[in-house]
């Protein structure tokens, strides 16, 4: 549903930083604006996500990181009163083009959530294959797909002997990797992760981070995180989001991770990554 | 070093209570036991009062017999032994309850899904209130509606079913009369059980965790797959419990059914739902009670006891299922 929002002229904020080269992009947002009802929550976000890279989105709570990531696979529009303007280019096509089916977008751009959310009524195997059922896809070799997806998520060795147990029988970290495997089973090209480790203990967190690094060998990952160390451990690129006063949130600075953390251009980025606020 | 472990001790539960707390707790305990006592007294009363008839007829004959005749003529003389068998009425009760659920359950689920997953907030509130209001309508009003408005239409529907689908045994009708059928009684009951099933199903479907719905949508699941693979499995036992609650109401309903159902003795109508051969224990009691002699009253109370036991069983099943649902969550 697209609500009409009264256009109030304002000075668009500018994203600083070295940015990301314009070539070999899988995903990019161009001048993206987002609203909830009449309230603009994100303004003019243009970010590039190169192929097989990991990009971390950092920033204080409520600055619109999660909202932004949900616009990248058309999950944002499922919230009543949500609206947006601008483009999200995925593999040279705008995913908001009227001819594009949102279901196809979500299959190619997978998502992992903050809280591990395996389907409780399904076994581990059924959870991995749930995407096929939900999107009415067929796969001739389901056992192979289950093994491949769970291996990619780094979970195969731990669960191969109990694929018929329910997902709820696993630990939190294992459940989260099961959710990653579930997303991988429908063969996405991009994986969006919304604070995937915030509900996990440090050991499980490291395990998931290792999975993310392995995934980035063949796919593009965008991860929202509040953990500065995590961003530096896993991300090639980092974007810093900020919301000030009553203005909409926006991307203050975007560039290679070592620039953002080593010698940021914007003073606010420097303050944030050094723990002076947020 | 070997040490003796300290002696464990427990703190009695009501040690922390004040005097007022304790008095309040006693009143609450009494209230809780009161319901148990009332239930036991009703059960005892039914058994005690129905004993003369059951002794007279024999328990097996009473439960399996289909005739119901006091053999009393209008001047009050009895020529033969009375026969009281509850089987036809018992099966009729179950048959119309099944019809009510078969019609009412899909409708209720449809309404519940619409309210939870499709309707706008304002429409959902309006519908919720309307459905709850439906539950508050007295059954006598349903009965009057059924006899004056539903019966003429239900008769045509029944006739249509026999004419076009009569080759299916359940739609057979050899009498050419389509009034007073279990089908019509079942429709009335369907309307009456819909509010109960809808509100419980709505409640459990609405408790589907949003993160599971998100997960389904992120995997490309649209409305129907999300319902089928995520929401319904989650709400399954709650929906079964809702159905049992509806069944409980359908089994015990008296007045609305009494108005529209033709009671037939002497045979059990197993499945011909558009034939005017119905049975209902509750309706039987209403129909016979005012002119019954002491033995027949005892027999009618026996029928009440059978109904009481069946509704108790249905309720026990539904609470057991509901409890296991709560445990899962």
């Amino acid at each position: 549903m697209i609500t009409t929002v009264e256009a109030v002229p304002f000075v668009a904020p500018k994203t600083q930083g070295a940015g990301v080269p314009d070539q070999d992009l899988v995903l990019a947002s161009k001048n993206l604006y987002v609203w909830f009802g009449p309230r603009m929550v994100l303004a003019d976000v243009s970010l590039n996500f190169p192929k097989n890279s990991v990009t971390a989105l950092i920033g204080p709570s409520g600055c619109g990181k999660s909202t932004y990531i949900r616009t990248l696979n058309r999950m944002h529009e499922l919230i009543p009163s949500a609206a947006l303007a601008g483009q999200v280019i995925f593999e040279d096509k705008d995913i908001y083009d009227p001819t594009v089916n949102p279901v196809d977008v979500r299959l190619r751009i997978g998502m992992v959530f903050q809280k591990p959310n395996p389907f409780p009524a399904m076994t581990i195997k059924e959870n991995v294959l749930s995407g096929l059922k939900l999107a009415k896809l067929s796969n001739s070799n389901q056992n192979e797909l289950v093994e491949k997806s769970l291996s990619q998520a780094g979970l195969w060795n731990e669960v191969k002997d109990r694929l018929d147990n329910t997902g709820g029988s696993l630990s939190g970290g294992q459940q989260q990797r099961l959710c990653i495997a579930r997303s991988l089973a429908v063969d996405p090209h991009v994986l969006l992760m919304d604070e995937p480790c915030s509900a996990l203990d440090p050991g499980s967190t490291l395990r998931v981070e290792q999975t993310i690094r392995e995934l980035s060998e063949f796919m593009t990952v965008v991860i929202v995180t509040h953990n500065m160390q995590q961003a530096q451990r896993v991300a090639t690129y980092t974007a810093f989001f900020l919301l000030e006063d009553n203005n909409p949130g926006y991307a203050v600075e975007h560039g290679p991770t070592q620039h953002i953390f080593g010698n940021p251009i914007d003073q606010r980025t420097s303050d944030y990554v050094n723990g002076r606020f947020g | 070093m070997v040490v003796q472990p300290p002696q464990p001790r427990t703190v009695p539960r009501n040690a922390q209570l004040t005097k007022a707390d304790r008095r309040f707790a006693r009143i609450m305990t009494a209230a809780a036991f009161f319901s148990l006592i009332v239930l036991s007294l009703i059960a005892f009363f039914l058994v005690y009062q129905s004993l003369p008839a059951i002794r007279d007829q024999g328990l097996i004959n009473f439960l399996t017999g289909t005739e119901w005749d006091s053999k009393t003529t209008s001047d009050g003389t009895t020529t033969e032994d009375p026969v009281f068998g509850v089987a036809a009425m018992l099966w009729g009760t179950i048959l119309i309850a099944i019809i009510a659920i078969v019609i009412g359950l899909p409708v209720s689920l449809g309404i519940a899904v619409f309210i939870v997953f499709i309707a706008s907030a304002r429409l959902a509130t309006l519908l919720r209130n309307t459905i709850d209001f439906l539950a508050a309508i007295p059954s006598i009003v349903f009965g009057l509606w059924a006899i004056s408005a539903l019966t003429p239409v239900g008769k045509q529907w029944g006739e249509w079913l026999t004419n076009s689908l009569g080759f299916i045994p359940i739609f057979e009708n050899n009498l050419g009369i389509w009034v007073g059928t279990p089908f019509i009684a079942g429709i009335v009951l369907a309307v009456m059980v819909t509010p109960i099933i809808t509100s419980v199903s709505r409640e459990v479907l609405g408790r589907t965790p949003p993160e599971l719905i998100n997960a389904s949508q992120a995997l490309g699941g649209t409305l129907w797959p999300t319902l089928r693979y995520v929401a319904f499995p989650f709400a399954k036992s709650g929906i079964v419990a809702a159905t049992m609650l509806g069944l409980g109401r359908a089994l015990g309903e008296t007045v609305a059914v009494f108005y529209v159902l033709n009671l037939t003795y002497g045979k059990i109508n197993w499945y011909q739902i558009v034939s005017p051969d119905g049975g209902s224990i509750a309706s039987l009691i209403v129909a016979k009670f005012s002119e019954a002699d002491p033995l027949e009253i005892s027999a009618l109370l026996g029928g009440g006891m059978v109904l009481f036991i069946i509704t108790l069983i249905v309720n026990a099943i539904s609470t057991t299922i509901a409890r296991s649902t709560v445990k899962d969550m």
Side-chain angles (χ1 to χ4, degrees):
Chain A
M1 189 180 70
I2 302 297
T3 26
T4 321
V5 180
E6 205 182 322
V8 183
F10 77 113
V11 182
K14 192 173 162 5
T15 304
Q16 307 198 61
V20 172
D22 247 344
Q23 56 220 351
D24 210 12
L25 298 182
V26 170
L27 188 67
S29 69
K30 288 197 191 313
N31 308 106
L32 195 77
Y33 290 77
V34 180
W35 290 265
F36 283 118
R39 197 165 64 89
M40 189 194 284
V41 293
L42 277 176
D44 203 25
V45 182
S46 300
L47 298 179
N48 291 341
F49 304 99
K51 194 171 167 92
N52 301 352
S53 68
V54 179
T55 302
L57 308 181
I58 60 170
S61 297
C63 66
K65 307 179 299 292
S66 294
T67 302
Y68 176 69
I69 207 173
R70 291 172 68 94
T71 63
L72 297 179
N73 72 339
R74 297 193 62 169
M75 290 287 285
H76 170 67
E77 69 202 51
L78 295 168
I79 300 165
S81 89
L84 88 168
Q87 290 182 311
V88 174
I89 309 294
F90 170 64
E91 294 177 346
D92 301 325
K93 195 163 169 49
D94 181 10
I95 64 169
Y96 287 99
D97 188 281
T99 60
V100 172
N101 180 353
V103 168
D104 297 333
V105 172
R106 291 176 203 138
L107 288 176
R108 291 285 81 88
I109 306 176
M111 192 162 209
V112 174
F113 298 85
Q114 189 171 350
K115 196 177 150 199
N117 55 359
F119 297 122
M122 297 185 191
T123 65
I124 293 172
K125 184 178 171 183
E126 285 168 345
N127 260 290
V128 176
L129 296 172
S130 59
L132 300 180
K133 272 186 181 171
L134 288 163
K136 303 189 184 97
L137 305 174
S138 60
N139 185 291
S140 50
N141 200 334
Q142 299 199 333
N143 289 332
E144 199 175 279
L145 180 66
V146 169
E147 179 171 352
K148 183 178 160 223
S149 307
L150 285 169
S151 303
Q152 286 174 342
L155 191 60
W156 174 250
N157 285 327
E158 292 161 58
V159 300
K160 63 184 173 193
D161 299 323
R162 44 177 175 148
L163 294 174
D164 292 327
N165 291 9
T166 60
S169 65
L170 301 174
S171 75
Q174 289 173 326
Q175 287 186 18
Q176 192 62 300
R177 279 179 282 145
L178 176 59
C179 294
I180 294 174
R182 179 175 70 184
S183 301
L184 296 176
V186 292
D187 192 26
H189 298 179
V190 176
L191 194 59
L192 308 174
M193 308 179 98
D194 189 359
E195 296 183 47
C197 302
S198 63
L200 305 184
D201 64 85
S204 303
T205 299
L206 287 176
R207 196 71 196 75
V208 170
E209 287 177 9
Q210 191 192 331
T211 302
I212 293 171
R213 276 191 297 272
E214 285 162 13
L215 293 178
S216 70
E217 287 165 21
F218 59 92
M219 69 192 300
T220 307
V221 178
V222 182
I223 174 172
V224 170
T225 178
H226 277 127
N227 183 331
M228 297 299 119
Q229 285 74 32
Q230 180 169 64
Q232 295 177 71
R233 284 193 296 261
V234 299
T236 343
Y237 301 101
T238 298
F240 171 56
F241 280 67
L242 189 60
L243 171 140
E244 288 173 313
D245 306 327
N246 280 323
N247 297 321
Y250 72 108
V252 173
E253 190 165 348
H254 181 208
T257 301
Q258 67 256 39
H259 286 202
I260 299 287
F261 285 92
N263 49 342
I265 293 167
D266 196 290
Q267 184 59 37
R268 291 165 300 179
T269 313
S270 169
D271 289 347
Y272 183 74
V273 299
N274 290 307
R276 279 193 277 275
F277 76 98
Chain B
M1 190 177 71
V2 179
V3 290
Q4 192 65 32
Q7 201 62 36
R9 64 198 151 96
T10 54
V11 180
R13 240 178 87 195
N14 54 8
Q16 287 97 336
L17 299 180
T18 66
K19 206 170 175 187
D21 279 340
R22 238 171 263 151
R23 199 177 305 131
F24 182 70
R26 268 201 294 277
I27 296 171
M28 293 304 107
T29 313
F33 276 99
F34 183 70
S35 64
L36 272 181
I37 291 167
V38 168
L39 191 70
S40 327
L41 283 178
I42 292 174
F44 173 77
F45 164 82
L46 283 174
V47 173
Y48 181 76
Q49 296 285 322
S50 58
L51 270 179
I54 290 174
R55 250 195 225 118
D56 182 76
Q57 300 286 319
L59 182 63
I60 302 296
N61 284 342
F62 181 70
L63 289 178
T64 57
T66 58
E67 290 287 353
W68 192 282
D69 194 341
S70 62
K71 306 281 184 189
T72 308
T73 50
S74 51
D75 53 19
T77 55
T78 308
T79 51
E80 292 172 68
D81 289 340
V83 277
F84 299 121
V86 85
M89 296 299 115
L90 176 60
W91 175 248
T93 307
I94 296 170
L95 183 66
I96 56 176
I98 292 172
I99 297 169
I101 296 298
V102 166
I103 299 172
L105 180 61
V107 173
S108 306
L109 285 181
I111 300 171
V113 164
F114 181 77
I115 290 175
V116 175
F117 295 102
I118 301 171
S120 67
R122 192 184 293 173
L123 188 56
T125 310
L126 177 75
L127 264 174
R128 241 189 348 252
N129 293 340
T130 313
I131 298 290
D132 288 347
F133 180 69
L134 202 58
I137 296 176
S139 56
I140 182 80
V141 176
F142 276 112
L144 292 173
W145 164 76
I147 196 161
S148 57
L150 179 68
T151 296
V153 188
K155 176 186 146 197
Q156 287 171 10
W157 292 345
E159 205 170 338
W160 180 86
L161 283 170
T162 303
N163 291 339
S164 47
L165 299 168
F167 57 90
I168 305 172
I170 62 168
F171 298 127
E172 275 170 7
N173 182 326
N174 306 321
L175 296 166
I177 301 167
W178 285 273
V179 175
T181 61
F183 175 63
I184 292 174
I187 296 175
V188 185
L189 287 180
V191 178
M192 297 177 75
V193 299
T194 294
I196 301 173
I197 304 182
T198 302
S199 49
V200 179
S201 312
R202 174 176 60 74
E203 193 66 34
V204 288
L205 283 171
R207 274 195 228 156
T208 314
E211 61 261 25
L212 295 184
I213 294 173
N214 271 330
S216 168
Q217 289 167 333
L219 288 164
T222 48
L223 179 63
W224 170 244
T226 303
L227 287 173
R228 179 169 165 201
Y229 296 113
V230 181
F232 282 142
F234 181 83
K236 189 174 66 188
S237 43
I239 293 170
V240 174
T243 309
M244 291 291 172
L245 280 177
L247 199 59
R249 175 160 199 200
L251 287 171
E253 179 47 43
T254 312
V255 177
V257 172
F258 176 67
Y259 273 130
V260 292
L261 188 64
N262 186 39
L263 303 181
T264 302
Y265 309 102
K267 63 166 187 175
I268 296 180
N269 175 9
W270 287 106
Y271 54 82
Q272 293 181 340
I273 61 170
V274 292
S275 193
D277 299 319
S280 158
I281 291 181
S283 298
L284 170 82
I285 296 172
V286 176
K288 299 282 187 187
F289 200 87
S290 57
E291 288 172 9
D293 59 25
L295 187 67
E296 186 171 7
I297 286 180
S298 168
L300 289 171
L301 285 161
M305 182 184 67
V306 172
L307 192 59
F308 180 73
I309 290 169
I310 287 178
T311 43
L312 269 189
I313 291 171
V314 168
N315 274 317
I317 294 172
S318 80
T319 42
T320 312
I321 295 167
R323 205 175 294 135
S324 70
T325 320
V326 172
K327 225 179 281 167
D328 289 345
M329 287 197 280

